Amino acid sequence: GNSVTQMEGPVTLSEEAFLTINCTYTATGYPSLFWYVQYPGEGLQLLLKATKADDKGSNKGFEATYRKETTSFHLEKGSVQVSDSAVYFCALSDNTGNQFYFGTGTSLTVIP
Amino acid sequence: GAGVSQTPSNKVTEKGKYVELRCDPISGHTALYWYRQSLGQGPEFLIYFQGTGAADDSGLPNDRFFAVRPEGSVSTLKIQRTERGDSAVYLCASSLNPDQETQYFGPGTRLLVL
């Protein structure tokens, strides 16, 4: 079956620190992979995506590379800001596109 | 352009009551999805519509849950005989088509069953 395993939080970092949030997946076929972000009091927003192996998604300084050999899609940012404080969800969409499978979310707090 | 909207934003009801949650997708999006997000968890799939028909309802937890999309746009999630365990945030998403397109999420309806 399809599933996503995500690094548990919460994660607390100082401003300008390096961020990694691990995500691994199990899927049949060739899924697309996504990172969604949920800021306090807001709905889920797409942060970045990758649709095939070795693709790199990037947005707002965040990056993630679709690694088929390690079934991973780790989220990274070189220098986090206070405004990056949010909950981050890794997700996959299977071949059918019928549904997304989400990880449990990782809460990030960035302190000045 | 407007995003996905959901009403009400919050709903408090008593155990055993019936509730309806509404989703208005992005105009032109043919695919519509309902998810349920419990506290501290990721969203869990409930049902997916392609046009007016429910293409996949495998995520509905039991027959108290039902959803419709009669004209292929607005959708209503209906929960009968609510239970305390139904308390969660109900999320709606839409996409232009279901072929691995990005899903755009609404703000959710927070349901509390007392």
Side-chain angles (χ1 to χ4, degrees):
Chain A
N2 298 315
S3 67
V4 173
T5 301
Q6 191 174 338
M7 170 179 159
E8 289 192 18
V11 174
T12 302
L13 294 174
S14 297
E15 206 165 20
E16 299 184 4
F18 183 84
L19 169 71
T20 300
I21 301 178
N22 289 340
C23 172
T24 57
Y25 68 89
T26 301
T28 53
Y30 304 95
S32 292
L33 301 174
F34 302 78
W35 277 98
Y36 277 81
V37 58
Q38 191 169 32
Y39 296 104
E42 299 184 17
L44 281 167
Q45 301 175 25
L46 177 68
L47 180 59
L48 53 85
K49 69 177 183 180
T51 57
K52 61 182 188 295
D54 299 326
D55 270 2
K56 178 187 283 187
S58 61
N59 186 27
K60 299 182 180 180
F62 291 88
E63 293 184 340
T65 301
Y66 187 161
R67 302 282 188 202
K68 194 168 185 296
E69 63 277 12
T70 55
T71 61
S72 65
F73 193 55
H74 304 322
L75 182 68
E76 296 183 336
K77 186 173 185 181
S79 176
V80 293
Q81 305 301 312
V82 172
S83 58
D84 294 326
S85 298
V87 181
Y88 292 82
F89 292 92
C90 185
L92 74 82
S93 173
D94 64 15
N95 290 345
T96 66
N98 284 358
Q99 58 176 283
F100 274 29
Y101 299 83
F102 283 88
T104 54
T106 301
S107 175
L108 170 68
T109 300
V110 180
I111 55 177
Chain B
V4 177
S5 61
Q6 292 185 246
T7 55
S9 54
N10 291 280
K11 176 70 177 178
V12 181
T13 190
E14 293 179 343
K15 181 175 178 296
K17 298 291 188 182
Y18 168 84
V19 297
E20 290 190 349
L21 311 179
R22 176 189 166 108
C23 172
D24 206 332
I26 293 172
S27 178
H29 280 195
T30 62
L32 184 146
Y33 310 79
W34 283 99
Y35 293 83
R36 180 167 69 175
Q37 186 176 15
S38 300
L39 193 63
Q41 300 296 315
E44 293 180 312
F45 170 78
L46 295 176
I47 186 170
Y48 148 64
F49 287 89
Q50 177 57 28
T52 61
D56 183 352
D57 64 357
S58 62
L60 294 177
N62 51 60
D63 62 5
R64 295 186 298 105
F65 288 75
F66 189 71
V68 295
R69 195 187 185 198
E71 297 178 357
S73 178
V74 170
S75 176
T76 304
L77 178 66
K78 308 180 182 195
I79 310 174
Q80 298 177 324
R81 305 183 304 280
T82 51
E83 299 177 357
R84 293 195 179 89
D86 298 334
S87 298
V89 177
Y90 289 82
L91 297 171
C92 177
S94 70
S95 66
L96 190 58
N97 65 66
D99 188 21
Q100 296 190 1
E101 274 288 329
T102 300
Q103 294 187 14
Y104 297 88
F105 284 80
T109 293
R110 186 176 300 275
L111 174 66
L112 177 61
V113 182
L114 300 175

